[in-house]
Amino acid sequence: MSRPRVLSLYEGLFAGGARVLHTNVITGLHLDGSHEHAVLSIASQARREGALQPMSDDPRYRWLREAGIEVSDLGREAGALPPDPESFSDAELDVAAAAVARADVILTLKEQPLGLLLALDARGLLPDVPVAACLHRSDPTHSGPAMRWLGELAASGRLTSTISCAESTSDAYARFTPPSVERFVIPNGIDLARYRPKPHERMPLRTRLGIAPNVPVILLAARFDAMKDPGLFLRAVGVHAARDSRAQYVMCGAGMTADNAALTAAIAEAGAPAERVHLLGIRDDMPRVYRAADIVALTSAFGEASPLCLIEGAASGATPVTTAVGDSAQVVAGIGLVTPHDAQAIASAWTRVIARRPDYRAAALAARPRMGADRMLDEYRGAIDGLAERAEAAA
């Protein structure tokens, strides 16, 4: 058969690990000639964590266009909730129908875009092609109405498979899909050429922030959201800063800015020293940010599956310290620490890592080969090719 034509549906192109992961997958498979990929984004901009994020400014959008992947959109603004199936206009469905009509396989980035497929199906505009939902959460109950849409599409027989980035994700969603829906688990991988230690890049960010070379730096790379529990991170900062007068703390991601009143209030409430907490917002140079850090922290309360920040940070030389959410414990096995959701315990783990920093750094760097993207791309390629071949055989 000719190269499969694959359409990915995005709720929107804005900051987030799942978008980084999916975009890396499809650009890799498009560039190596495996498939012909295209993207349809429901939104052309997103208002998330208090920040307006136009699609055209997003690095993921630029990566797609630079790879020669066609990107179209419905012109909406993404917000806290994904668009309901009944909300799509005839004009929007005409654009979407034209895009799906050209596809041999449809992928959805998470479950939020499934409402669009339900709307197309209700109008008789969804062709009989395989549909795979690419899932990146470990707690479907926090997906709002999108969880119901996944169940409806699966019950109708239009959802062919799920592709989960973690065993915890696959197991969690299996409760909401019938046995007829095939389940793939493809653990995340990263570009090891991009995320690697570069000693000469340890200092540029530190210098800009006024941090000396031997001062411990603890990084939280996450959006300002209840799922990420930045309040717990800040409470741990309050505890740790009282024990270590040198340590500095960096927070980056959507909403991690000084003009976020909720964040500045949380810093004060946690008793964290504001002068030692550096707020960087959304960054396009994450490898450089990781290289400046000694610890990459994750304090999430729920929902995580296989967090990219843990392996990106570790591959760059930082030590991951995470709460036990999703597959995080498996991700950091042998290279980092897992803690309970407790500020005292998290602060103690940071202290332990700092005391044995060379050993933990060496362990993370030795584990780099298992973090690479080649295995992940091979598995995605096989899953997509299998879906396309079965569809062709059934035609």
Side-chain angles (χ1 to χ4, degrees), residues 11-14 43-47 52-55 75-79:
E11 180 187 5
L13 282 152
F14 46 86
S44 59
Q45 62 182 18
R47 193 173 297 276
L52 183 65
Q53 302 177 52
M55 179 176 78
R76 291 198 170 210
E77 180 176 286

Side-chain angles (χ1 to χ4, degrees), residues 234-274:
L234 289 167
R235 291 192 296 276
V237 168
V239 174
H240 188 262
R243 300 175 181 174
D244 188 333
S245 61
R246 301 182 309 142
Q248 301 282 317
Y249 310 91
V250 174
M251 304 176 76
C252 69
M256 299 299 193
T257 56
D259 60 3
N260 180 349
L263 174 55
T264 55
I267 292 172
E269 182 180 348

Side-chain angles (χ1 to χ4, degrees), residues 131-184:
V131 175
C134 300
L135 304 173
H136 297 273
R137 300 179 66 110
S138 62
D139 188 350
T141 62
H142 284 85
S143 296
M147 188 63 253
R148 184 177 71 251
W149 304 337
L150 183 140
E152 291 176 10
L153 204 68
S156 72
R158 302 310 304 270
L159 181 68
T160 309
S161 63
T162 60
I163 302 176
S164 301
C165 68
E167 291 289 351
S168 57
T169 300
S170 185
D171 293 343
Y173 281 85
R175 302 195 302 269
F176 300 93
T177 55
S180 58
V181 174
E182 188 174 14
R183 293 193 289 151
F184 298 93

Side-chain angles (χ1 to χ4, degrees), residues 334-395:
I335 62 172
L337 297 178
V338 181
T339 72
H341 292 81
D342 176 80
Q344 294 280 348
I346 293 168
S348 294
W350 294 348
T351 299
R352 178 180 168 188
V353 168
I354 291 167
R356 295 181 51 208
R357 178 74 178 109
D359 295 338
Y360 280 105
R361 177 180 171 85
L365 297 181
R368 277 173 49 82
R370 70 175 167 89
M371 305 175 193
D374 289 348
R375 178 267 317 152
M376 176 185 69
L377 290 177
D378 286 343
E379 293 184 31
Y380 267 97
R381 184 185 300 108
I384 293 169
D385 286 348
L387 292 170
E389 288 165 5
R390 285 195 292 275
E392 186 178 49

